[in-house]
Amino acid sequence: MQNSRGSQRKAEWMNRSAEMDKRSESRIDVAFDIRVTPLDHQMVSTDFSFTARLLNYSATGACIQHRELIVEPFVQIEWQAKHKVHKGIVRLKWCRATGNKCYLTGGRVVSMESFEIPEELCM
């Protein structure tokens, strides 16, 4: 499959079964934009990030809607809310194409951090 960056890419992490990784926690439905940066097995950024939409999350899982093909096994997700920057790492477990260049991808949250934004930088 070719992506918008013009190279033949394959999501090798998709070979795993997602059945063992279903979330036991209740999911919170949300719908807001986040920044997504794909990460390789060594957690190194691909120097390519894009805007996506976080659809739901729990303490251990997240589901995002996006237009870019993600073949890396991890992503960093980032957003701002309530004077904080929130950053998390998600190990991807599943992906579904829902239309032309439209995907739903989910996985296990392996880390989450929040940082206060200095008052003078808040709008």
Side-chain angles (χ1 to χ4, degrees), residues 28-71:
I28 299 170
D29 290 330
V30 296
F32 57 84
D33 289 343
I34 60 173
R35 194 87 193 135
V36 174
T37 304
L39 305 170
D40 67 15
H41 286 286
Q42 287 77 38
M43 301 293 186
V44 176
S45 167
T46 59
D47 293 328
F48 174 71
S49 61
F50 55 89
T51 301
R53 195 144 187 87
L54 184 64
L55 296 182
N56 68 58
Y57 69 92
S58 67
T60 59
C63 175
I64 60 173
Q65 181 180 44
H66 53 99
R67 295 197 162 280
E68 297 292 334
L69 181 64
I70 304 171
V71 300

Side-chain angles (χ1 to χ4, degrees), residues 71-96:
V71 300
E72 292 77 13
F74 296 90
V75 292
Q76 176 180 295
I77 59 174
E78 180 179 336
W79 70 93
Q80 292 184 16
K82 296 186 180 182
H83 305 297
K84 289 185 179 182
V85 172
H86 305 278
K87 288 186 179 185
I89 302 293
V90 178
R91 180 177 48 159
L92 302 178
K93 291 293 185 181
W94 60 268
C95 181
R96 289 185 197 103

Side-chain angles (χ1 to χ4, degrees), residues 8-22:
Q8 195 76 11
R9 295 168 32 108
K10 196 174 184 181
E12 294 176 10
W13 56 266
M14 287 290 295
N15 293 335
R16 295 187 213 127
S17 170
E19 285 301 310
M20 299 300 290
D21 292 308
K22 291 198 179 248

